[in-house]
């Protein structure tokens, strides 16, 4: 099964930001990263997963390892209610980053995703790598 680690970074919030993912099938490793001039950390976290799933389109099942509770909880706990409530939160406010959540929702309909939360900055090799890549992309845009 393809295992993917994702991360987003932002220098200021909003500010210059970066996203990154590392994917491995235990034989090969693929790294990708990019950035945006004026963004938020949550947008970069979402973008990292979107870019990773887009790259993994040939796979039917993946693991996503993220240190973002926002992304993991959004996909596992909040998304269904947001959609049922016409993209409103429980307190009737518009869902932030709706267009990214919609992209992620669409991508997740064609693939089985196993979500794993990892503690950030705790020495996990691939999580540290995506953190470095995302931060480097943000720093390039300062």
């Amino acid at each position: 099964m393809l295992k993917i680690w994702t991360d987003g970074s932002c220098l200021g919030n909003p500010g210059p930001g970066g996203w990154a993912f590392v994917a491995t099938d235990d034989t090969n490793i693929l790294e990708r990263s990019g950035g945006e001039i004026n963004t938020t950390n949550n947008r970069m976290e979402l973008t990292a997963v979107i870019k990773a799933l887009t790259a993994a389109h040939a796979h039917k099942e993946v693991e996503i390892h993220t240190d973002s509770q926002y992304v993991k909880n959004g996909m596992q706990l909040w998304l269904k209610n947001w959609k049922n409530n016409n993209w409103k939160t429980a307190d009737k406010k518009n869902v932030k980053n709706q267009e990214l959540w919609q992209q992620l929702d669409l991508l997740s309909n064609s693939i089985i995703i196993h979500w794993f939360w990892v503690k950030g900055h705790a020495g996990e090799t691939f999580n540290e790598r995506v953190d470095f890549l995302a931060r480097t992309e943000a720093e390039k845009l300062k």
Side-chain angles (χ1 to χ4, degrees):
M1 180 179 323
L2 188 67
K3 297 173 186 161
I4 301 168
W5 283 259
T6 65
D7 201 12
S9 179
C10 201
L11 305 176
N13 206 21
W19 59 266
F21 74 84
V22 172
T24 182
D25 61 5
D26 293 326
T27 301
N28 303 298
I29 296 176
L30 174 69
E31 294 183 348
R32 293 286 184 270
S33 60
E36 292 181 18
I37 292 172
N38 188 32
T39 189
T40 66
N41 186 66
N42 283 341
R43 290 187 68 80
M44 291 294 89
E45 294 282 3
L46 288 164
T47 299
V49 178
I50 290 166
K51 298 287 189 179
L53 290 176
T54 300
H57 65 84
H59 294 266
K60 299 290 181 215
E61 190 170 6
V62 299
E63 291 181 0
I64 298 284
H65 300 258
T66 179
D67 61 9
S68 172
Q69 290 283 0
Y70 175 68
V71 172
K72 183 179 178 293
N73 288 340
M75 290 302 292
Q76 292 189 303
L77 302 175
W78 308 327
L79 185 66
K80 183 179 178 186
N81 287 335
W82 289 341
K83 288 166 54 174
N84 288 340
N85 294 326
N86 198 30
W87 292 97
K88 302 283 185 194
T89 63
D91 58 356
K92 307 297 182 216
K93 294 180 182 173
N94 290 331
V95 171
K96 292 182 181 177
N97 306 310
Q98 178 182 332
E99 76 284 2
L100 295 175
W101 285 112
Q102 288 172 327
Q103 279 183 278
L104 187 49
D105 181 40
L106 186 63
L107 287 165
S108 70
N109 288 332
S110 60
I111 191 167
I112 298 167
I113 302 172
H114 302 278
W115 292 95
F116 296 92
W117 180 79
V118 295
K119 184 174 173 59
H121 311 288
E124 202 282 341
T125 301
F126 287 125
N127 182 258
E128 295 291 338
R129 179 66 181 156
V130 292
D131 177 72
F132 171 80
L133 292 169
R135 198 169 1 94
T136 299
E137 291 290 344
E139 288 170 355
K140 283 191 225 176
L141 298 171
K142 271 199 319 191

